Amino acid sequence: MITVLKQIKSKFIWKQKENFIAKFIIKNDFNLESENDKFVGIFISSWFGTFIPWYSIVVGLLLKKSYNRRLLFIVDDMPFSTEKLNPKFQYKSIVKVAKYLEKYNDVLYLSQQKNIQIDKELINKYAYFNTLHDIKTEQFTKNHPYYKLINNQLNLSSSKLSSIFKKYSLEYVFVPGGLCYLTGVVYELAKQNNTRVCSYDSGMKGAFLLATEGVAAHLEDIPRAVETIINDKSINLDDIKKDVENLINDRFQGKDIFKSQIGESDETIDYANSILLPLNVNWDSAALNKHVIFKDTIEWIIETTKWVLENTSKRIIIRQHPVERFNYGKGLDDYKLILEKEFGTNSRIIFIESVDKANTYDILKQTDLVITHTSTVATEAAIYGKNVITVSNVYYAQIGYVETPTNKEDYFTKISELIKNKLNIDENNRLKAIISYYVSQELNWCFPEFLPSTNVNLWLKSSLDEVLNMLDTKEILEVIDSDIPLPIVKWKKLIDK
């Protein structure tokens, strides 16, 4: 009964917002006279039951108004996932709303496009990531019913998407996520056609991420921003170092906006003579499509633990991501059980669960080496002067303050070298880590007023000009259209004050 009531309420709220966005389009859309033969693609898709499609439509209209952009709305009206995760009434509603856009814009519906088959391996790749994201475990095969469902659906949708990129010349494409649903395939096909894909990610606490190119959650704009800022003659390193110290102290004490740390600092706990593996949430977009050396997180943990036990006297500390203590962040892979099945009880294996009141930063001060997938702890460790190895192609692998082996032989050789030499990273790399942290944790986060997750009624009932004047809207539009990363835009505003 409760489930039925929730469904009724969900449909009612969705229908209300559908009416709001329809009125918004009628009131605010306009005819644009432009000689530009290139379009800006706005990908419209349902998105885990959120109001992302309405947000994307409004952003498109804002780009049209602010930058005279000729718009091509690409409407994904094909089935994806299950009725529970992607209700049919939502993508039918999107089609209904898209009809209002046809008056002054070009609108394409995916289901109506011709089929041009694409590489099957590409389909398999994104079927895997979507499955992992949705079922929240790495322990499945290609025979899993959900994987087979997603694979079939992606195969149908992707072939139709391919025909759009063959037919239209796009300046860039604006998409949610850049990895889940069909957006990962959008990114791959756009890249094949030398078209930029700008993506965004909006989640908890009113936070907003934006990438001028690639997956927003992968922070792929950071290396470019770090290079710009570190070479800026107006840079005040003392101020940045102070800001970074405050940011780390807040995280250390669990006072940052996300409050992921729950354990108070206790320096009496012995974490010395150890190697630390801080884990990501393996199904989260920030961690997907990042492994370089191992096929997945489980293989990384098992093989690294085995090597450390057999080739060193070190303890290995595996720290589950603290956010997994919450239902919204919880995964289904029980790493503690996996380790026990593989190695039994071993005093040199310390597994810290997400609910354990341990503080990651106490471990950082004492550990000898940090090995990460895509965790921010890598940058914090480098700031502490620790050597770091990453097993992924994470953004900070491009900046130069972490070791980046590309195969297992090099990986284990590098571990051996670093624990044998016992050298801290040099000051130049530590400085890169400090700038990288400042850019990624201070300049890259945005908390705008116009968001797909909050204030929805407010902006849907506003005029286009009113939305344009909301906090940070103009900066976000500048980033999308100019291909200048948000941290650089914010940095230039800071130094111009």
Side-chain angles (χ1 to χ4, degrees):
M1 183 64 181
I2 294 175
T3 302
V4 173
L5 290 174
K6 282 184 177 180
Q7 289 174 344
I8 293 172
K9 183 180 179 181
S10 175
K11 284 186 178 182
F12 174 80
I13 293 172
W14 182 271
K15 185 66 179 177
Q16 179 192 55
K17 302 296 189 292
E18 178 193 303
N19 291 333
F20 288 163
I21 187 64
K23 290 176 182 178
F24 185 95
I25 294 167
I26 293 168
K27 178 182 174 183
N28 291 285
D29 200 5
F30 61 96
N31 185 47
L32 176 70
E33 293 184 5
S34 174
E35 295 179 0
N36 191 346
D37 61 346
K38 277 199 169 185
F39 290 92
V40 165
I42 307 294
F43 189 76
I44 308 298
S45 167
S46 54
W47 199 262
F48 304 105
T50 68
F51 302 110
I52 287 284
W54 310 151
Y55 177 84
S56 293
I57 288 171
V58 176
V59 169
L61 297 180
L62 286 166
L63 289 168
K64 181 180 179 181
K65 182 179 181 66
S66 301
Y67 295 97
N68 296 316
R69 287 302 189 177
R70 189 179 176 192
L71 303 179
L72 175 66
F73 287 97
I74 304 168
V75 180
D76 185 356
D77 58 340
M78 297 186 67
F80 187 85
S81 186
T82 62
E83 180 65 21
K84 182 179 179 180
L85 284 179
N86 189 26
K88 192 177 294 184
F89 77 86
Q90 288 190 0
Y91 58 86
K92 285 187 173 181
S93 165
I94 292 169
V95 171
K96 184 178 176 182
V97 168
K99 297 295 180 184
Y100 294 101
L101 294 167
E102 292 179 5
K103 185 174 182 180
Y104 298 121
N105 308 278
D106 290 75
V107 181
L108 294 178
Y109 300 92
L110 211 57
S111 64
Q112 297 174 11
Q113 307 310 305
K114 293 180 180 179
N115 293 315
I116 300 178
Q117 290 301 317
I118 68 171
D119 183 5
K120 184 63 179 173
E121 285 307 307
L122 192 63
I123 304 296
N124 294 342
K125 175 181 174 180
Y126 286 96
Y128 173 81
F129 295 138
N130 274 283
T131 301
L132 172 53
H133 182 276
D134 293 349
I135 69 173
K136 297 178 172 40
T137 174
E138 293 175 335
Q139 299 177 84
F140 66 89
T141 70
K142 290 183 177 181
N143 290 321
H144 191 287
Y146 191 78
Y147 173 86
K148 291 166 77 172
L149 171 69
I150 296 297
N151 195 289
N152 288 334
Q153 291 172 334
L154 280 180
N155 191 43
L156 291 171
S157 299
S158 299
S159 62
K160 292 182 178 296
L161 184 66
S162 181
S163 68
I164 295 175
F165 282 100
K166 294 291 184 186
K167 184 177 180 181
Y168 287 86
S169 177
L170 301 175
E171 192 81 22
Y172 60 85
V173 185
F174 181 65
V175 303
L179 199 152
C180 292
Y181 280 65
L182 191 59
T183 62
V185 180
V186 173
Y187 171 67
E188 298 280 358
L189 294 178
K191 189 165 62 173
Q192 290 173 16
N193 287 274
N194 298 312
T195 300
R196 178 170 67 90
V197 173
C198 177
S199 72
Y200 66 97
D201 199 308
S202 178
M204 57 185 183
K205 308 287 187 180
F208 184 83
L209 288 172
L210 190 63
T212 59
E213 174 73 28
V215 180
H218 290 173
L219 311 188
E220 292 176 1
D221 281 345
I222 301 302
R224 184 151 55 119
V226 169
E227 183 179 7
T228 297
I229 292 170
I230 208 166
N231 291 317
D232 192 326
K233 292 180 181 179
S234 64
I235 189 172
N236 187 321
L237 285 175
D238 289 336
D239 285 350
I240 289 177
K241 287 177 180 179
K242 187 175 180 181
D243 285 344
V244 166
E245 182 181 355
N246 291 334
L247 286 167
I248 291 179
N249 284 340
D250 284 347
R251 280 170 65 98
F252 187 103
Q253 299 170 37
K255 293 180 180 178
D256 62 301
I257 190 167
F258 300 111
K259 295 180 173 57
S260 60
Q261 290 297 323
I262 56 172
E264 294 183 3
S265 178
D266 185 352
E267 295 183 359
T268 65
I269 302 175
D270 178 20
Y271 294 116
N273 193 38
S274 68
I275 295 172
L276 170 65
L277 272 65
L279 305 184
N280 290 88
V281 179
N282 66 8
W283 56 265
D284 184 44
S285 294
L288 293 175
N289 199 17
K290 291 279 98 182
H291 273 292
V292 171
I293 299 173
F294 300 94
K295 71 173 185 178
D296 56 29
T297 298
I298 293 173
E299 183 180 90
W300 168 46
I301 294 171
I302 293 298
E303 293 197 21
T304 303
T305 301
K306 185 175 186 293
W307 188 92
V308 169
L309 293 178
E310 292 178 355
N311 295 277
T312 79
S313 60
K314 302 289 183 188
R315 296 183 292 172
I316 184 162
I317 302 173
I318 300 159
R319 174 50 157 140
Q320 186 177 26
H321 198 294
V323 82
E324 290 210 48
R325 71 185 186 274
F326 301 116
N327 285 335
Y328 67 79
K330 197 181 296 296
L332 297 180
D333 289 318
D334 188 336
Y335 298 119
K336 185 177 182 180
L337 182 61
I338 290 167
L339 285 163
E340 287 176 353
K341 283 183 177 179
E342 189 73 25
F343 303 105
T345 302
N346 191 312
S347 61
R348 288 172 59 202
I349 301 174
I350 302 171
F351 183 78
I352 300 174
E353 296 186 65
S354 60
V355 295
D356 290 341
K357 294 187 179 297
N359 194 298
T360 305
Y361 301 95
D362 284 341
I363 307 171
L364 270 188
K365 292 176 182 179
Q366 299 183 54
T367 196
D368 301 300
L369 175 66
V370 177
I371 307 175
T372 67
H373 181 218
T374 68
S375 173
T376 305
V377 173
T379 307
E380 293 161 336
I383 292 170
Y384 274 92
K386 304 291 182 178
N387 282 298
V388 181
I389 299 172
T390 181
V391 295
S392 75
N393 59 354
V394 63
Y395 71 92
Y396 49 73
Q398 304 170 44
I399 301 175
Y401 55 87
V402 302
E403 300 289 345
T404 57
T406 56
N407 58 63
K408 291 181 183 180
E409 182 180 355
D410 289 346
Y411 170 65
F412 292 121
T413 299
K414 184 56 67 176
I415 296 174
S416 182
E417 288 175 357
L418 291 176
I419 60 178
K420 181 180 179 181
N421 295 334
K422 298 181 180 179
L423 296 174
N424 288 338
I425 69 170
D426 62 44
E427 192 56 30
N428 182 52
N429 280 334
R430 184 171 175 273
L431 179 60
K432 288 180 182 177
I434 289 170
I435 303 296
S436 176
Y437 198 79
Y438 175 72
V439 170
S440 63
Q441 302 303 309
E442 179 69 19
L443 297 181
N444 197 56
W445 286 107
C446 186
F447 299 89
E449 190 177 359
F450 169 45
L451 272 174
S453 52
T454 56
N455 300 323
V456 178
N457 282 356
L458 174 65
W459 52 263
L460 280 176
K461 291 181 177 181
S462 299
S463 69
L464 207 55
D465 284 328
E466 287 169 335
V467 178
L468 185 61
N469 288 313
M470 288 180 178
L471 179 66
D472 290 336
T473 300
K474 290 176 183 176
E475 287 78 6
I476 289 169
L477 294 174
E478 180 183 351
V479 171
I480 294 168
D481 197 71
S482 70
D483 190 23
I484 299 173
L486 180 62
I488 296 178
V489 170
K490 291 173 75 172
W491 170 256
K492 287 182 177 178
K493 284 183 67 177
L494 281 173
I495 62 176
D496 287 343
K497 282 184 178 180

